Amino acid sequence: MKKLQSLLIGILAIILILFFGVRQLEKASGMAGADTLTIYNWGDYIDPDLLRKFEKESGYKVNYETFDSNEAMFTKIQQGGTAYDITIPSEYMIQKMMKEKMLLPIDHKKLTGLENIDERFLNLDFDPQNNYSIPYFWGTLGIIYNDKFIGEDQIKHWDDLWKPALKDNVMLIDGAREVLGLSLNSMGYSLNSKNNQELRKATDKLNKLTTNVKAIVADEIKMYMINEESAAAVTFSGEAAEMLDGNEHLHYVIPSEGSNLWFDNIVIPKTAKNIKGSYEFINFMLRPENAAQNAEYIGYSTPNKAAKKLLPEEISSDEQFYPSDEVIKHLEVYEDLGAKYLGIYNDLFLEFKMYRR
């Protein structure tokens, strides 16, 4: 009898160990369900104070992870393993995730504050009726330059990057769509081109730019430009805002012939475990005071018109980061090119990076 009791106690102990082990594994993997909200976002893309405020208000523990590209985010969610409740992709990736049925539809009846979003940023082509996504930030791709090395009248267009005066003095963002896109725009072509002849011409033109290219980098551009290690760089508007704060000689330009207009929206992956918490977070970020705090901290443009009114005037009236409708009409949104042409863009970009001057 004692042996049987010992056996039963042993089995019970093993069950308890396994149960708590699974719970710890779930927590480590962001799968703690109702007690945790697991967010997958770009690096440095939310004010940490807002996360703490949300935790205090909601009672959830936020498990926050970051990615450095839409493609990396897509692959990780597609592979599974971590059940993200919220992620924040760009418009073309939202299109792709919708096609792959990776997102849950947004129940607008559960939203409070959607009326705070500027109508210009709702019902866009990549997600008509906002059935799967809610606006978070928006911005542009442009050129940042240092007036100690180059005059204002010398850098207004993409073609100016090819000027001999900028030899070994231009930094490029490490992105195929961005770099191929600027070359396409400089020739009057769409940055979503699927015309092989246009893509070949754009790559050939880029190859002639290599004499001027000092480096192809990512987040390091901010440090390099603030420290005046290059005369000009191609970057996103929010990154530029941070650079301008760090050096009064820097300026941001959106080439008038065209560039990228991008949108990052909040979505709920199909594998989410805490749906209730997902809506609470979306509604939290729709509140004007929270959206304004986030925009001032990050530097990107808020689509929340009520939040924009709360921003300092020197921010909300700055057309470098809140461009006019006249400027916006010349900009293009990235489209999902499909696997074939995404591969072509990546291959051509690799060819450019390996090109010998």
Side-chain angles (χ1 to χ4, degrees):
M1 186 67 179
K2 288 183 179 180
K3 289 184 178 180
L4 181 59
Q5 285 180 333
S6 298
L7 180 61
L8 290 174
I9 290 170
I11 292 172
L12 180 60
I14 292 171
I15 291 172
L16 288 172
I17 291 170
L18 289 173
F19 174 78
F20 286 108
V22 169
R23 289 291 292 171
Q24 290 301 314
L25 182 60
E26 287 178 345
K27 288 180 181 180
S29 301
M31 296 175 63
D35 298 329
T36 300
L37 186 76
T38 305
I39 299 173
Y40 199 26
N41 196 2
W42 299 85
D44 196 24
Y45 209 36
I46 192 169
D47 184 343
D49 286 342
L50 285 173
L51 293 178
R52 288 188 282 270
K53 180 180 178 181
F54 177 75
E55 285 184 323
K56 185 176 180 180
E57 286 188 10
S58 67
Y60 297 119
K61 180 187 182 302
V62 172
N63 178 29
Y64 191 82
E65 297 185 26
T66 63
F67 56 85
D68 58 10
S69 73
N70 281 291
E71 289 68 30
M73 177 276 304
F74 176 88
T75 300
K76 189 166 184 183
I77 290 180
Q78 188 181 50
Q79 289 175 344
T82 302
Y84 296 109
D85 301 305
I86 289 286
T87 191
I88 304 176
S90 302
E91 66 297 307
Y92 74 94
M93 188 54 68
I94 292 171
Q95 273 188 316
K96 184 173 182 178
M97 295 175 83
M98 287 164 58
K99 288 178 184 177
E100 298 291 330
K101 302 188 184 304
M102 293 170 62
L103 303 178
L104 289 177
I106 298 290
D107 184 351
H108 284 223
K109 294 178 182 177
K110 295 181 180 178
L111 299 177
T112 56
L114 189 60
E115 67 276 4
N116 293 326
I117 300 296
D118 189 321
E119 292 78 7
R120 294 178 302 165
F121 306 120
L122 294 171
N123 305 319
L124 299 176
D125 289 345
F126 64 89
D127 183 16
Q129 309 305 314
N130 290 96
N131 287 326
Y132 290 91
S133 68
I134 301 299
Y136 182 71
F137 275 131
W138 67 280
T140 58
L141 182 76
I143 302 169
I144 189 163
Y145 69 93
N146 190 313
D147 63 23
K148 291 171 69 173
F149 305 113
I150 187 166
E152 178 182 352
D153 59 335
Q154 294 179 291
I155 193 146
K156 294 182 178 180
H157 306 284
W158 290 124
D159 274 344
D160 293 333
L161 296 176
W162 276 260
K163 287 183 175 179
L166 286 176
K167 183 177 180 180
D168 199 31
N169 232 336
V170 174
M171 291 191 175
L172 298 179
I173 191 168
D174 191 6
R177 295 296 301 272
E178 289 77 19
V179 176
L180 263 293
L182 73 86
S183 187
L184 287 164
N185 277 164
S186 75
M187 303 176 78
Y189 302 140
S190 167
L191 51 72
N192 293 305
S193 177
K194 290 185 177 181
N195 182 305
N196 290 329
Q197 187 175 5
E198 292 176 357
L199 291 171
R200 184 67 260 166
K201 288 181 179 178
T203 305
D204 289 343
K205 184 172 181 177
L206 280 176
N207 289 342
K208 296 175 183 177
L209 181 64
T210 53
T211 302
N212 288 3
V213 176
K214 185 171 187 175
I216 300 175
V217 290
D219 290 343
E220 304 94 323
I221 284 181
K222 289 186 285 189
M223 177 187 67
Y224 290 140
M225 292 304 294
I226 290 172
N227 292 339
E228 301 185 343
E229 296 187 34
S230 188
V234 175
T235 190
F236 293 111
S237 53
E239 304 290 281
E242 189 173 336
M243 296 181 219
L244 266 58
D245 285 341
N247 189 319
E248 63 181 4
H249 292 285
L250 297 177
H251 309 272
Y252 181 69
V253 175
I254 305 170
S256 57
E257 61 271 20
S259 186
N260 170 229
L261 174 66
W262 58 262
F263 302 95
D264 287 343
N265 284 17
I266 302 175
V267 301
I268 305 175
K270 204 170 186 177
T271 53
K273 297 292 185 183
N274 189 352
I275 308 300
K276 182 174 181 291
S278 298
Y279 280 100
E280 288 187 41
F281 180 78
I282 292 172
N283 291 335
F284 176 83
M285 294 308 302
L286 284 171
R287 281 160 45 186
E289 69 274 18
N290 293 334
Q293 178 179 331
N294 205 29
E296 193 164 1
Y297 177 85
I298 299 300
Y300 281 105
S301 306
T302 178
N304 191 311
K305 60 187 178 185
K308 186 181 175 185
K309 293 178 181 178
L310 300 177
L311 292 172
E313 187 177 354
E314 63 266 23
I315 295 177
S316 60
S317 63
D318 191 340
E319 290 199 359
Q320 293 176 104
F321 306 105
Y322 290 93
S324 66
D325 290 342
E326 178 64 26
V327 172
I328 288 177
K329 77 178 184 181
H330 294 292
L331 306 179
E332 288 183 275
V333 177
Y334 289 135
E335 297 173 359
D336 176 19
L337 298 172
K340 175 184 175 182
Y341 274 92
L342 181 60
I344 290 173
Y345 272 68
N346 288 335
D347 288 345
L348 292 174
F349 183 51
L350 180 61
E351 173 188 323
F352 162 65
K353 289 200 287 186
M354 296 178 67
Y355 186 82
R356 302 300 180 194
R357 309 179 200 187

PDB file of all heavy atoms in Angstrom, residues 51 76-77 82 94 105 116 145 177 182 196 260 275 314 347:
ATOM      1  N   LEU A  51       4.128  51.790 -22.718  1.00  0.00           N
ATOM      2  CA  LEU A  51       3.980  50.372 -22.386  1.00  0.00           C
ATOM      3  C   LEU A  51       3.734  50.200 -20.889  1.00  0.00           C
ATOM      4  O   LEU A  51       2.876  49.417 -20.473  1.00  0.00           O
ATOM      5  CB  LEU A  51       5.213  49.580 -22.816  1.00  0.00           C
ATOM      6  CG  LEU A  51       5.465  49.472 -24.331  1.00  0.00           C
ATOM      7  CD1 LEU A  51       6.746  48.694 -24.593  1.00  0.00           C
ATOM      8  CD2 LEU A  51       4.289  48.811 -25.036  1.00  0.00           C
ATOM      9  N   LYS A  76       8.740  34.950 -39.173  1.00  0.00           N
ATOM     10  CA  LYS A  76       8.617  34.443 -37.812  1.00  0.00           C
ATOM     11  C   LYS A  76       7.163  34.130 -37.459  1.00  0.00           C
ATOM     12  O   LYS A  76       6.874  33.111 -36.827  1.00  0.00           O
ATOM     13  CB  LYS A  76       9.192  35.435 -36.809  1.00  0.00           C
ATOM     14  CG  LYS A  76       9.292  34.848 -35.396  1.00  0.00           C
ATOM     15  CD  LYS A  76      10.150  35.680 -34.482  1.00  0.00           C
ATOM     16  CE  LYS A  76      10.292  35.003 -33.122  1.00  0.00           C
ATOM     17  NZ  LYS A  76      11.078  35.823 -32.172  1.00  0.00           N
ATOM     18  N   ILE A  77       6.241  34.997 -37.869  1.00  0.00           N
ATOM     19  CA  ILE A  77       4.827  34.738 -37.576  1.00  0.00           C
ATOM     20  C   ILE A  77       4.332  33.540 -38.377  1.00  0.00           C
ATOM     21  O   ILE A  77       3.578  32.706 -37.874  1.00  0.00           O
ATOM     22  CB  ILE A  77       3.976  35.993 -37.866  1.00  0.00           C
ATOM     23  CG1 ILE A  77       4.298  37.073 -36.821  1.00  0.00           C
ATOM     24  CG2 ILE A  77       2.486  35.661 -37.844  1.00  0.00           C
ATOM     25  CD1 ILE A  77       3.529  38.355 -36.984  1.00  0.00           C
ATOM     26  N   THR A  82       5.694  31.559 -31.445  1.00  0.00           N
ATOM     27  CA  THR A  82       5.267  32.610 -30.531  1.00  0.00           C
ATOM     28  C   THR A  82       3.929  33.157 -31.007  1.00  0.00           C
ATOM     29  O   THR A  82       3.794  33.525 -32.174  1.00  0.00           O
ATOM     30  CB  THR A  82       6.299  33.748 -30.469  1.00  0.00           C
ATOM     31  OG1 THR A  82       7.552  33.213 -30.051  1.00  0.00           O
ATOM     32  CG2 THR A  82       5.858  34.814 -29.481  1.00  0.00           C
ATOM     33  N   ILE A  94       1.074  44.047 -45.112  1.00  0.00           N
ATOM     34  CA  ILE A  94      -0.305  43.792 -44.685  1.00  0.00           C
ATOM     35  C   ILE A  94      -1.073  43.129 -45.822  1.00  0.00           C
ATOM     36  O   ILE A  94      -1.813  42.166 -45.613  1.00  0.00           O
ATOM     37  CB  ILE A  94      -0.986  45.100 -44.242  1.00  0.00           C
ATOM     38  CG1 ILE A  94      -0.335  45.619 -42.956  1.00  0.00           C
ATOM     39  CG2 ILE A  94      -2.492  44.894 -44.018  1.00  0.00           C
ATOM     40  CD1 ILE A  94      -0.782  47.002 -42.542  1.00  0.00           C
ATOM     41  N   PRO A 105      -9.793  39.481 -38.846  1.00  0.00           N
ATOM     42  CA  PRO A 105     -10.536  40.699 -39.204  1.00  0.00           C
ATOM     43  C   PRO A 105     -10.710  41.592 -37.972  1.00  0.00           C
ATOM     44  O   PRO A 105     -10.838  41.091 -36.847  1.00  0.00           O
ATOM     45  CB  PRO A 105     -11.883  40.173 -39.692  1.00  0.00           C
ATOM     46  CG  PRO A 105     -11.679  38.716 -39.951  1.00  0.00           C
ATOM     47  CD  PRO A 105     -10.581  38.262 -39.056  1.00  0.00           C
ATOM     48  N   ASN A 116     -10.797  59.438 -34.433  1.00  0.00           N
ATOM     49  CA  ASN A 116      -9.657  60.350 -34.267  1.00  0.00           C
ATOM     50  C   ASN A 116      -8.684  60.285 -35.435  1.00  0.00           C
ATOM     51  O   ASN A 116      -7.838  61.172 -35.583  1.00  0.00           O
ATOM     52  CB  ASN A 116      -8.897  60.022 -32.978  1.00  0.00           C
ATOM     53  CG  ASN A 116      -9.713  60.301 -31.732  1.00  0.00           C
ATOM     54  OD1 ASN A 116     -10.509  61.236 -31.694  1.00  0.00           O
ATOM     55  ND2 ASN A 116      -9.525  59.491 -30.699  1.00  0.00           N
ATOM     56  N   TYR A 145      20.536  66.008 -45.646  1.00  0.00           N
ATOM     57  CA  TYR A 145      21.850  66.534 -46.026  1.00  0.00           C
ATOM     58  C   TYR A 145      22.348  67.526 -44.985  1.00  0.00           C
ATOM     59  O   TYR A 145      21.573  68.083 -44.188  1.00  0.00           O
ATOM     60  CB  TYR A 145      21.790  67.194 -47.411  1.00  0.00           C
ATOM     61  CG  TYR A 145      20.997  68.486 -47.453  1.00  0.00           C
ATOM     62  CD1 TYR A 145      21.625  69.716 -47.277  1.00  0.00           C
ATOM     63  CD2 TYR A 145      19.621  68.476 -47.657  1.00  0.00           C
ATOM     64  CE1 TYR A 145      20.904  70.902 -47.304  1.00  0.00           C
ATOM     65  CE2 TYR A 145      18.893  69.647 -47.690  1.00  0.00           C
ATOM     66  CZ  TYR A 145      19.543  70.867 -47.513  1.00  0.00           C
ATOM     67  OH  TYR A 145      18.825  72.039 -47.526  1.00  0.00           O
ATOM     68  N   ARG A 177      13.763  47.700 -51.935  1.00  0.00           N
ATOM     69  CA  ARG A 177      12.642  48.501 -52.441  1.00  0.00           C
ATOM     70  C   ARG A 177      12.975  49.989 -52.416  1.00  0.00           C
ATOM     71  O   ARG A 177      12.632  50.735 -53.341  1.00  0.00           O
ATOM     72  CB  ARG A 177      11.373  48.250 -51.604  1.00  0.00           C
ATOM     73  CG  ARG A 177      10.806  46.852 -51.658  1.00  0.00           C
ATOM     74  CD  ARG A 177      10.312  46.457 -53.043  1.00  0.00           C
ATOM     75  NE  ARG A 177       9.276  47.308 -53.584  1.00  0.00           N
ATOM     76  CZ  ARG A 177       7.957  47.144 -53.391  1.00  0.00           C
ATOM     77  NH1 ARG A 177       7.528  46.155 -52.628  1.00  0.00           N
ATOM     78  NH2 ARG A 177       7.085  47.937 -53.975  1.00  0.00           N
ATOM     79  N   LEU A 182      14.155  54.590 -55.537  1.00  0.00           N
ATOM     80  CA  LEU A 182      14.611  55.968 -55.780  1.00  0.00           C
ATOM     81  C   LEU A 182      15.192  56.104 -57.177  1.00  0.00           C
ATOM     82  O   LEU A 182      15.033  57.147 -57.840  1.00  0.00           O
ATOM     83  CB  LEU A 182      15.605  56.416 -54.703  1.00  0.00           C
ATOM     84  CG  LEU A 182      17.037  55.861 -54.695  1.00  0.00           C
ATOM     85  CD1 LEU A 182      17.959  56.676 -55.599  1.00  0.00           C
ATOM     86  CD2 LEU A 182      17.596  55.861 -53.274  1.00  0.00           C
ATOM     87  N   ASN A 196      10.706  44.695 -66.686  1.00  0.00           N
ATOM     88  CA  ASN A 196      12.100  44.243 -66.580  1.00  0.00           C
ATOM     89  C   ASN A 196      13.081  45.221 -67.221  1.00  0.00           C
ATOM     90  O   ASN A 196      14.208  45.380 -66.740  1.00  0.00           O
ATOM     91  CB  ASN A 196      12.255  42.862 -67.214  1.00  0.00           C
ATOM     92  CG  ASN A 196      11.575  41.781 -66.395  1.00  0.00           C
ATOM     93  OD1 ASN A 196      11.491  41.883 -65.172  1.00  0.00           O
ATOM     94  ND2 ASN A 196      11.074  40.750 -67.054  1.00  0.00           N
ATOM     95  N   ASN A 260       8.530  57.444 -51.821  1.00  0.00           N
ATOM     96  CA  ASN A 260       7.671  56.495 -51.124  1.00  0.00           C
ATOM     97  C   ASN A 260       6.870  57.172 -50.018  1.00  0.00           C
ATOM     98  O   ASN A 260       7.410  57.917 -49.210  1.00  0.00           O
ATOM     99  CB  ASN A 260       8.527  55.378 -50.532  1.00  0.00           C
ATOM    100  CG  ASN A 260       7.766  54.465 -49.597  1.00  0.00           C
ATOM    101  OD1 ASN A 260       8.216  54.182 -48.491  1.00  0.00           O
ATOM    102  ND2 ASN A 260       6.607  53.989 -50.008  1.00  0.00           N
ATOM    103  N   ILE A 275      -7.041  38.099 -27.530  1.00  0.00           N
ATOM    104  CA  ILE A 275      -7.788  38.972 -28.433  1.00  0.00           C
ATOM    105  C   ILE A 275      -8.332  40.183 -27.685  1.00  0.00           C
ATOM    106  O   ILE A 275      -8.272  41.317 -28.172  1.00  0.00           O
ATOM    107  CB  ILE A 275      -8.961  38.209 -29.099  1.00  0.00           C
ATOM    108  CG1 ILE A 275      -8.458  36.902 -29.733  1.00  0.00           C
ATOM    109  CG2 ILE A 275      -9.641  39.089 -30.140  1.00  0.00           C
ATOM    110  CD1 ILE A 275      -7.423  37.084 -30.795  1.00  0.00           C
ATOM    111  N   GLU A 314       5.743  73.612 -33.651  1.00  0.00           N
ATOM    112  CA  GLU A 314       6.930  73.462 -34.493  1.00  0.00           C
ATOM    113  C   GLU A 314       7.026  72.058 -35.093  1.00  0.00           C
ATOM    114  O   GLU A 314       7.710  71.847 -36.093  1.00  0.00           O
ATOM    115  CB  GLU A 314       8.208  73.774 -33.706  1.00  0.00           C
ATOM    116  CG  GLU A 314       8.501  72.859 -32.528  1.00  0.00           C
ATOM    117  CD  GLU A 314       7.965  73.399 -31.215  1.00  0.00           C
ATOM    118  OE1 GLU A 314       7.020  74.222 -31.241  1.00  0.00           O
ATOM    119  OE2 GLU A 314       8.494  72.992 -30.151  1.00  0.00           O
ATOM    120  N   ASP A 347      17.653  40.556 -56.016  1.00  0.00           N
ATOM    121  CA  ASP A 347      18.819  40.162 -56.815  1.00  0.00           C
ATOM    122  C   ASP A 347      19.499  41.376 -57.441  1.00  0.00           C
ATOM    123  O   ASP A 347      20.741  41.472 -57.460  1.00  0.00           O
ATOM    124  CB  ASP A 347      18.393  39.179 -57.922  1.00  0.00           C
ATOM    125  CG  ASP A 347      18.030  37.806 -57.380  1.00  0.00           C
ATOM    126  OD1 ASP A 347      18.373  37.516 -56.215  1.00  0.00           O
ATOM    127  OD2 ASP A 347      17.385  37.029 -58.119  1.00  0.00           O
TER     128      ASP A 347
END
